[in-house]
Structure formats: structure tokens, C-alpha cells
Amino acid sequence: MDRRHKPSNILPPGEKLPAATVDIDEKRQTVSATLPNGDTVEVLLYGATVTSWKNGGGKTENVWVSEKAIWDGSKPVRGGIPIVFPNFGPPIKDHATSALPQHGFARNVRWEFLGSEKSESGTSSVKLDFGLYSSALPAKFREAWPLDFGLVYSVTLSEEGLRTIMTVRNEGSSAFEFQFLLHTYLRVNDISQTTINGLGSETYIDKVLNATKHEQTTPSLSITGEVDRAYIGVKQDTTSVLEGGSPRFDVIRDNLSDTVVWNPWIEKAKGMGDFAPQDGYKNMLCVEVGAIDGWQKLEGGDAWEGGQLIKSLL
């Protein structure tokens, strides 16, 4: 597959560097990796959810996780980078996913850690692979979506940033349809001083305004209240987050066409039992890349791949 932002070889030629380390915590059910420079990433096996990503020698946390997030597998984690698959939002009638819960099942089940790959030369990096297969789904989800599939989710930490890529394989003989989204919660210092660039003149569906369609008329978006917008068919690959006018994050889509921007603001935050602190909306911003406009159709035996690269610009 030829993609504009295809990852470079994780083992480039060059001088050898100290290798990253990988740690599996059986009690917490997490897999974490640390680069020689101190940057870290942590992934919870439940949902294959990225729950921490620190750069700057491990000092700067880049993702927001609720203080009341549930870690025991009884519900999806509030925060980090949950995976939305195979449906985005509430299930729709008369579709193969209509019996599934909101945002599908990928964030609701335990994934298998498939192993890691570390760079041995050139730029230091480490890739963690996680798998989810139809044969391992809990019965309730298998009955609701009785299709043969395989998912491989790759989380790569490097000095460049954090890359998260999903590969979807249709292991059956008949085609199926799916949607996919990475529900990334970025940590910001002050939402009132935060702006988003790269979505000017784009069309979006505004869920705050009864899912009506609009066009963004300004080059930058500021958050001054509840925001829940799904930008469809975004032309620019990069959505940039600025704090006080200074670059903070670049979110670069890879083989994905849509971007959701979400902040619950005051009232909605109060209504979520697992959202804490109540004013935590001031320190988080969701910039979510995905394929959610219609459905991706995957023929039997075929594979699809898409994801993102997030750069922390501090």
C-alpha cells in the first residue's frame, strides 16, 4: 500500500544506539516502553488503550486520563487513546453493526500483546504490537458481529513522536463494512488558550447543533464551550494544536480522511460519572482521526491500514 505518511523502516542503516526497554506489568495488565532518552509510552491491554505518553525525557505527559478512569476492564478507559471499531457513535438500524454498543467493541475487550521490535541503529524507537481476533471475542460481541477478522494495532514510540497504526484484515470469504477512529485525548495546559489549525474551510457535522452540517469559516478554531464536530474529508493531513499561539501538537492522519474535535465543557463533564476532576475539561482536547464518513468496505482476504502520527512540539 502506497501512503504519503508511511512509516520509515524501523531498522535504518547507521550507527548503533542504546536500545529501548519494554516492561510487561502482569498485575496492572500494561505494556510500557522507554527510550534511552527517557521518553515513555504505556498501553493497557484492556482495549489496547494508550494511557500515557511522555516525552522531554519522560517529564511531559501528552495524553489526558480521567482521575476516575476505570482500569479493571468493566468499561472503556476515559482518556488516553481508546480505539473505536467497527462502528463510530451509536449503532444504526439495519446494518451489520446495529447490535453492537456505541463505538463498537475494540475498546471494550482485552487484546493480546504480540511482541515488540526495537531499533538497533539510527534513531532510537520501539514498536509494540497488539492483536485482536474474532475467535477471541466475548460471546456477546461475537454473536452481535459474527464476522471473521483480525486486527493488529502497532504503537511506535520514537524521538519523532507517537505513531499508532491499525491493520484490519478480513479473514472470511465475504466482504464486510467497518468504521474506525482513534479517540485521542490530548493534554493541554489551558483550553481557553488553545486553538486548532488545519480545519479552516472544511465541512463538519456539529453534534451540538443537532448533527447539522456546516463549513468552518475561520482558519483557527477556539474552544469556548462544548464542541463536538466531525470534520469530513479533510484536505490537509495535519491538524495542529497551539497553546498561547505556540505550537503544542501536530496530529498527522495516515490513510484517514476524517477528524473529530471534542471537548465536553462544563455541563457534559458533570454528567459523566468517570470524568474527573470536574474541571478537567480545561486540560484536555480530543483530536480524533478516523474513517467515519460512511463505511470502509473490505473484501474477503483483503487488508486495510490507517492511523496517525502525533508530534509533541514542546
Side-chain angles (χ1 to χ4, degrees):
M1 183 181 296
D2 186 17
R3 308 202 312 273
R4 281 176 289 180
H5 300 290
K6 187 175 181 179
S8 57
N9 193 330
I10 199 168
L11 297 175
E15 183 180 353
K16 287 189 176 181
L17 294 175
T21 59
V22 176
D23 179 68
I24 302 173
D25 189 325
E26 297 288 353
K27 183 177 181 180
R28 298 183 63 242
Q29 292 290 287
T30 59
V31 180
S32 59
T34 304
L35 296 182
N37 68 1
D39 293 358
T40 64
V41 65
E42 179 185 77
V43 183
L44 181 68
L45 289 177
Y46 181 73
T49 305
V50 174
T51 50
S52 177
W53 165 39
K54 297 179 181 178
N55 70 333
K59 297 178 182 178
T60 302
E61 178 61 75
N62 294 303
V63 299
W64 183 91
V65 176
S66 169
E67 294 176 359
K68 289 186 178 180
I70 306 301
W71 293 73
D72 63 5
S74 60
K75 67 179 298 185
V77 174
R78 173 70 66 187
I81 309 180
I83 300 169
V84 173
F85 177 91
N87 56 293
F88 171 72
I92 63 173
K93 294 181 179 179
D94 302 320
H95 191 267
T97 59
S98 61
L100 293 174
Q102 174 165 299
H103 293 336
F105 54 71
R107 63 181 190 154
N108 298 68
V109 297
R110 189 184 188 279
W111 290 55
E112 178 185 357
F113 177 50
L114 302 178
S116 63
E117 183 179 350
K118 306 172 189 177
S119 63
E120 297 178 355
S121 59
T123 302
S124 179
S125 61
V126 57
K127 180 164 72 75
L128 308 174
D129 288 331
F130 302 86
L132 179 64
Y133 308 97
S134 50
S135 58
L137 276 185
K140 63 178 180 179
F141 295 134
R142 183 67 174 153
E143 292 169 4
W145 207 60
L147 299 167
D148 295 323
F149 69 91
L151 305 181
V152 175
Y153 183 52
S154 298
V155 177
T156 302
L157 175 67
S158 71
E159 295 171 11
E160 182 183 21
L162 186 71
R163 189 183 296 274
T164 54
I165 300 291
M166 178 67 77
T167 301
V168 182
R169 297 197 307 267
N170 184 341
E171 305 285 5
S173 57
S174 301
F176 65 67
E177 294 181 324
F178 68 93
Q179 295 172 322
F180 167 74
L181 178 127
L182 293 168
H183 199 309
T184 306
Y185 289 72
L186 298 173
R187 176 175 287 276
V188 298
N189 289 323
D190 184 353
I191 193 64
S192 69
Q193 300 297 314
T194 302
T195 54
I196 302 101
N197 289 350
L199 298 172
S201 301
E202 299 289 355
T203 299
Y204 64 91
I205 297 170
D206 196 329
K207 295 186 179 180
V208 177
L209 299 177
N210 299 314
T212 50
K213 187 174 289 187
H214 304 266
E215 180 179 316
Q216 184 167 306
T217 57
T218 59
S220 296
L221 172 65
S222 299
I223 309 298
T224 58
E226 181 186 351
V227 174
D228 193 351
R229 298 181 177 186
Y231 291 82
I232 303 302
V234 181
K235 293 182 285 294
Q236 295 189 48
D237 289 335
T238 302
T239 301
S240 299
V241 176
L242 291 78
E243 289 191 326
S246 299
R248 178 63 182 93
F249 296 104
D250 278 345
V251 181
I252 304 170
R253 289 178 291 108
D254 186 345
N255 198 38
L256 297 171
S257 59
D258 311 317
T259 297
V260 173
V261 177
W262 181 70
N263 183 287
W265 210 248
I266 301 169
E267 292 306 316
K268 183 154 286 187
K270 288 180 180 178
M272 292 185 287
D274 61 351
F275 191 98
Q278 279 196 353
D279 64 352
Y281 70 90
K282 296 179 180 178
N283 303 117
M284 53 76 58
L285 172 68
C286 286
V287 178
E288 313 162 29
V289 302
I292 59 171
D293 183 26
W295 299 89
Q296 302 293 310
K297 186 174 183 179
L298 195 60
E299 298 291 340
D302 284 352
W304 173 95
E305 189 172 275
Q308 67 181 352
L309 168 65
I310 311 175
K311 297 182 178 181
S312 174
L313 303 176
L314 285 180

